[in-house]
Amino acid sequence: MIKIRRALISVSDKRRIVEFARELEKLGVEILSTGGTARLLKENNIKVIEVSDYTAFPEMLDGRMKTLHPKIHAGLLALRNNKQHMSTLKEHNIGLIDMVVVNLYPFERTVSKKGVKLEEAIENIDIGGPSMLRSAAKNNRSVCVVCNPSRYREILEEMRLNNGAITEETCFKLAVDVFELTSRYDGAIYG
């Protein structure tokens, strides 16, 4: 079982995210978030720590750089049963991230628009999102990764049944979702 204490939420598709985050908060989960997602959650009275405050590094390059930071990826990739990893995190004051809720910029929808310019297509190639999804999916024995809003309800149900925890089997299944999504996403960009 993976106890969810801290979640990073950064979504392009914001359907049902307020309700999901509110339930995570009720379950005692600390929420990190970025840009528009953080704003939306705050507007709905959900306590959020902005990633830029967490990393002590501002978003930059018109939002192109938000989550590509050691405090994010080390918190996702650290093996919880590896004493050296845990010591390194402690030495650098890096906390664990137990859940990542990310969906990607709408590249396919953007390029399907009539008359779309190459510059707009390029700006809709997500970099940080796939990186976080892959980091979390790689470490699915310790991190729950959610890339599909249709999974929110089942995840919350499992967390309620397990005192805020998710089974390793569920986390593995969610990691498979991620690799299927990122493979399709990269294929669309290549195409």
Side-chain angles (χ1 to χ4, degrees):
M1 295 290 257
I2 299 166
K3 178 74 172 173
I4 308 300
R5 293 180 180 87
R6 177 180 289 136
L8 194 157
I9 303 175
S10 182
V11 294
S12 180
D13 178 353
K14 293 176 176 43
R15 289 175 296 150
R16 299 189 298 262
I17 197 60
V18 171
E19 297 81 7
F20 185 67
R22 184 171 285 123
E23 292 302 311
L24 289 177
E25 185 178 49
K26 286 180 187 175
L27 288 163
V29 176
E30 178 183 71
I31 298 172
L32 306 175
S33 191
T34 60
T37 305
R39 233 178 346 274
L40 176 65
L41 297 179
K42 286 179 184 180
E43 288 168 2
N44 284 276
N45 300 311
I46 297 169
K47 186 177 177 186
V48 173
I49 298 168
E50 294 210 32
V51 165
S52 57
D53 293 333
Y54 179 73
T55 61
F57 214 82
E59 288 187 19
M60 60 176 56
L61 306 176
D62 300 319
R64 283 180 161 207
M65 286 289 296
K66 299 176 204 164
T67 57
L68 296 172
H69 193 281
K71 279 192 121 176
I72 301 300
H73 289 275
L76 293 171
L77 287 165
L79 298 173
R80 275 58 168 171
N81 61 355
N82 182 310
K83 289 180 183 179
Q84 185 177 3
H85 284 202
M86 299 310 289
S87 175
T88 299
L89 292 186
K90 186 175 181 179
E91 176 186 345
H92 295 284
N93 194 30
I94 297 173
L96 296 172
I97 299 172
D98 309 301
M99 177 181 278
V100 168
V101 183
V102 168
N103 50 60
L104 305 176
Y105 295 168
F107 179 80
E108 289 174 285
R109 189 171 63 221
T110 300
V111 298
S112 70
K113 292 188 302 189
K114 187 175 179 155
V116 69
K117 302 258 188 275
L118 179 61
E119 293 76 21
E120 184 180 0
I122 288 169
E123 287 309 311
N124 277 276
I125 296 173
D126 201 326
I127 303 301
S131 297
M132 287 187 293
L133 288 173
R134 288 175 184 274
S135 290
K138 179 176 180 170
N139 201 16
N140 69 78
R141 289 186 176 171
S142 298
V143 180
C144 180
V145 59
V146 186
C147 65
N148 185 341
S150 70
R151 298 273 199 191
Y152 294 167
R153 181 177 293 135
E154 72 182 85
I155 291 163
L156 290 172
E157 287 173 10
E158 186 169 323
M159 288 178 72
R160 285 186 201 109
L161 285 173
N162 297 308
N163 195 27
I166 301 283
T167 65
E168 286 186 21
E169 293 79 19
T170 296
C171 291
F172 181 80
K173 177 175 66 173
L174 293 168
V176 171
D177 285 353
V178 164
F179 291 120
E180 189 274 331
L181 170 69
T182 57
S183 173
R184 233 181 338 105
Y185 194 76
D186 288 341
I189 293 167
Y190 172 75

